[in-house]
Amino acid sequence: DTAVSQTPKYLVTQMGNDKSIKCEQNLGHDTMYWYKQDSKKFLKIMFSYNNKELIINETVPNRFSPKSPDKAHLNLHINSLELGDSAVYFCASSTRTVGAEKLFFGSGTQLSVL
Amino acid sequence: SQQGEEDPQALSIQEGENATMNCSYKTSINNLQWYRQNSGRGLVHLILIRSNEREKHSGRLRVTLDTSKKSSSLLITASRAADTASYFCATDPSGNTGKLIFGQGTTLQVKP
């Protein structure tokens, strides 16, 4: 009964390939996020969706395209992968209710671009 | 620019000792949160302190917030080997947007 689950856990691929990471939450939250953690453990938000609507889009290359088919799912598709895309990508979810701002994170997808 | 910065970057203590981690931030905040990350895992929320609160407790955790100094501290008392992890502070300057700004974390090692 994992709250926020993302797949795959590890992703090793060649430069130039296209790949997707999937995320699902069963907490009934209406907001989902993608965060990127680099090799120095610096964690930065990439996207946020609320009820399938994009609400946060940080300065991320167009090669990254999130898709939210419903409020329980948020996928991340990456085109033309580059070496610099190697990182751990975390999906997270939360409610927007005041007083419940904490985020619930998935266990991460470690992406290695060779 | 990065909002939160933790100090120290790494901390190694013996089981039973207390561990104190500090976090500084740059802009006004709605709340400040602390998260724990075990190696190879996702972040887990520990505690949230609002801008109008000065101290908060949760089990062996004590968090303080000084908005005049734009700083917070996390104290873990009577540490255990299982507390070994990275600890991050995070702020939401905009207030309830979920756009948390994380520091780079303090890596805590608790030796048995």
Side-chain angles (χ1 to χ4, degrees), chain A residues 35 37 41 58 96 99 103, chain B residues 35 37 50 86 96 98 100:
Chain A
Y35 278 81
Q37 186 174 44
K41 293 193 175 181
E58 291 297 287
R96 294 293 296 276
L103 267 58
Chain B
Y35 287 79
Q37 184 180 30
R50 301 194 183 283
S86 292
N96 195 26
L100 295 185

Side-chain angles (χ1 to χ4, degrees), chain B residues 74-110:
Chain B
L74 170 67
L75 168 67
I76 304 174
T77 60
S79 64
R80 305 166 182 168
D83 295 328
T84 294
S86 292
Y87 292 82
F88 296 84
C89 69
T91 56
D92 184 354
S94 306
N96 195 26
T97 65
K99 181 183 173 181
L100 295 185
I101 309 297
F102 284 85
Q104 282 188 261
T106 292
T107 299
L108 172 66
Q109 182 186 29
V110 181

Side-chain angles (χ1 to χ4, degrees), chain A residues 23-94:
Chain A
C23 179
E24 175 182 4
Q25 56 94 4
N26 62 5
L27 297 167
H29 290 164
D30 51 12
T31 306
M32 296 184 71
Y33 313 82
W34 280 110
Y35 278 81
K36 178 181 179 181
Q37 186 174 44
D38 64 22
S39 58
K40 296 182 179 179
K41 293 193 175 181
F42 179 45
L43 201 69
K44 187 174 180 181
I45 191 167
M46 300 173 70
F47 301 103
S48 171
Y49 271 75
N50 179 255
N51 279 323
K52 302 192 296 177
E53 180 184 350
L54 181 66
I55 56 172
I56 295 176
N57 184 352
E58 291 297 287
T59 307
V60 178
N62 290 337
R63 300 182 293 104
F64 291 79
S65 54
K67 282 189 172 53
S68 181
D70 56 62
K71 71 174 190 177
H73 295 83
L74 180 62
N75 304 322
L76 183 65
H77 188 74
I78 315 170
N79 289 326
S80 303
L81 279 156
E82 301 177 355
L83 292 176
D85 297 331
S86 295
V88 182
Y89 292 84
F90 287 98
C91 176
S93 71
S94 72

